[in-house]
Amino acid sequence: MSTQIPDAIDKLVALFEAALPVGTVVADGPQVSFPTGEWAVVGGDGPVDEEEDAARSTQAWKGLGAMVRDEAIDVTCAVGSSTGNAETTLRPRREAATALLQAIEDGLRADPGLGGFTTGGAAAVTDVALRYPTNSQGLAAVLVFTINIPVRSRIT
């Protein structure tokens, strides 16, 4: 196996679906537009008009014989809250997006190994950026973040 990125994304989609409130849209990859309400994206930073990276990894062989490889996977994710109208303040959207990120972090703390998938460390949020996209559909607050997932592969 050359990378475990696809499996890592699958694990995060399952975690997001379990951790986030009912009714939150969880997307596997970027979407064309923001839905009204709360949403989350695994493998993207929200709606895009251009190509973007879903995940990256670095790999290093461990020991002699090239039979074990450590991989540090960074998956780009986003959570957001969109009004769908011309609301005049972003505070409620920012608070809603922050609550979604908190739910994801709580899920990671409850299962930092993603069901035994990680090795040599815990999956964790490593950086966060706040964005305020606006368009004719209203205001949105988006938290774009990275989840780092350490894994070890044994080549057989």
Side-chain angles (χ1 to χ4, degrees):
M1 175 178 296
S2 61
T3 182
Q4 292 191 54
I5 287 175
D7 295 333
I9 290 173
D10 290 344
K11 295 288 185 181
L12 290 179
V13 168
L15 181 131
F16 282 33
E17 288 173 343
L20 294 173
V22 173
T24 303
V25 175
V26 175
D28 181 353
Q31 303 300 297
V32 175
S33 65
F34 288 103
T36 299
E38 281 67 51
W39 51 268
V41 176
V42 177
D45 63 3
V48 296
D49 294 324
E50 72 282 336
E51 183 179 306
E52 66 180 62
D53 289 341
R56 293 180 172 272
S57 79
T58 56
Q59 301 176 353
W61 291 108
K62 299 302 284 187
L64 298 175
M67 299 303 289
V68 176
R69 179 177 53 220
D70 284 345
E71 184 174 14
I73 300 169
D74 289 321
V75 180
T76 302
C77 301
V79 292
S81 178
S82 180
T83 63
N85 61 35
E87 185 175 347
T88 59
T89 179
L90 281 163
R91 183 179 180 133
R93 302 292 59 83
R94 187 172 55 245
E95 289 173 346
T98 301
L100 295 173
L101 180 57
Q102 184 64 54
I104 291 166
E105 288 182 318
D106 290 346
L108 284 170
R109 276 192 291 282
D111 184 12
L114 298 174
F117 180 67
T118 68
T119 53
V125 173
T126 57
D127 63 85
V128 181
L130 174 63
R131 293 184 184 167
Y132 291 137
T134 59
N135 59 33
S136 62
Q137 296 175 340
L139 301 175
V142 179
L143 293 171
V144 179
F145 56 99
T146 302
I147 297 179
N148 176 264
I149 304 170
V151 295
R152 178 168 281 172
S153 301
R154 187 165 300 282
I155 310 304
T156 56

